[in-house]
Amino acid sequence: MNIYTKNNIKYPYSHISQNIRISVKTDFLDSQSDEENNLWVWSYDILIENKGTIKIQLLDRHWIITDETGHVEEFKGVGVIGQQPTINPGNYFQYTSGAPLKRPSGFMTGSYNMINEVKKSFKIEIPTFSLDLPLKKRILN
């Protein structure tokens, strides 16, 4: 796996489609998780880079979250984190969001619906990324 780096942040998941690079980094949030209540929480950092020559805007998102048992949840919504960002050529937009699971691991995939400055709409696939519980040091008695 090639790791993409931008602004000293390493993104293990990255994909370019239609001159748009989508990169993803995840972190397990132990402090917000509660194993006894079947809650495991991750944050994910998304970087959207416009590698093209015309302005684009993110209109909406579609997420598919699958846990380790195969249980699937889908989420659709306008924009991301309350915004519908416009990204000029050569620029980027970053945001952080989160995902809870009822199991210790899973994965996410999805897409963004975009529109460009000539009002042509298109879909960009988000690379599938893993939500895996980090190994914890176990002490045997």
Side-chain angles (χ1 to χ4, degrees), residues 46-69:
I46 304 278
L47 172 68
I48 305 168
E49 295 179 89
N50 184 350
K51 301 289 193 179
T53 58
I54 60 176
K55 183 172 29 176
I56 60 169
Q57 183 178 17
L58 188 154
L59 299 177
D60 56 60
R61 70 193 181 285
H62 177 204
W63 285 112
I64 301 167
I65 304 171
T66 307
D67 73 19
E68 66 185 23
T69 67

Side-chain angles (χ1 to χ4, degrees), residues 63-105:
W63 285 112
I64 301 167
I65 304 171
T66 307
D67 73 19
E68 66 185 23
T69 67
H71 175 75
V72 175
E73 292 189 45
E74 292 192 50
F75 299 93
K76 294 180 180 182
V78 174
V80 292
I81 63 165
Q83 299 178 49
Q84 290 181 302
T86 297
I87 309 167
N88 289 315
N91 286 337
Y92 61 90
F93 177 78
Q94 286 178 280
Y95 73 95
T96 301
S97 191
L101 288 180
K102 295 177 183 173
R103 303 296 305 152
S105 67

Side-chain angles (χ1 to χ4, degrees), residues 1-138:
M1 165 178 19
N2 291 332
I3 295 181
Y4 177 70
T5 302
K6 174 94 174 177
N7 298 331
N8 294 319
I9 298 173
K10 294 181 181 188
Y11 296 91
Y13 308 96
S14 190
H15 175 73
I16 297 176
S17 175
Q18 300 186 57
N19 292 316
I20 310 297
R21 178 187 287 272
I22 306 292
S23 303
V24 184
K25 174 181 108 42
T26 63
D27 287 305
F28 176 66
L29 302 178
D30 191 34
S31 64
Q32 294 183 31
S33 298
D34 184 353
E35 186 174 344
E36 291 179 9
N37 289 306
N38 294 321
L39 177 65
W40 290 267
V41 181
W42 283 263
S43 70
Y44 54 89
D45 298 308
I46 304 278
L47 172 68
I48 305 168
E49 295 179 89
N50 184 350
K51 301 289 193 179
T53 58
I54 60 176
K55 183 172 29 176
I56 60 169
Q57 183 178 17
L58 188 154
L59 299 177
D60 56 60
R61 70 193 181 285
H62 177 204
W63 285 112
I64 301 167
I65 304 171
T66 307
D67 73 19
E68 66 185 23
T69 67
H71 175 75
V72 175
E73 292 189 45
E74 292 192 50
F75 299 93
K76 294 180 180 182
V78 174
V80 292
I81 63 165
Q83 299 178 49
Q84 290 181 302
T86 297
I87 309 167
N88 289 315
N91 286 337
Y92 61 90
F93 177 78
Q94 286 178 280
Y95 73 95
T96 301
S97 191
L101 288 180
K102 295 177 183 173
R103 303 296 305 152
S105 67
F107 61 91
M108 287 179 66
T109 192
S111 61
Y112 296 125
N113 283 320
M114 314 286 275
I115 192 165
N116 64 25
E117 65 186 19
V118 293
K119 304 299 181 204
K120 180 181 177 194
S121 63
F122 57 101
K123 184 177 4 178
I124 296 294
E125 298 298 322
I126 301 165
T128 300
F129 55 94
S130 171
L131 302 171
D132 289 320
L133 190 63
L135 296 177
K136 290 189 175 185
K137 185 175 181 179
R138 306 232 187 246

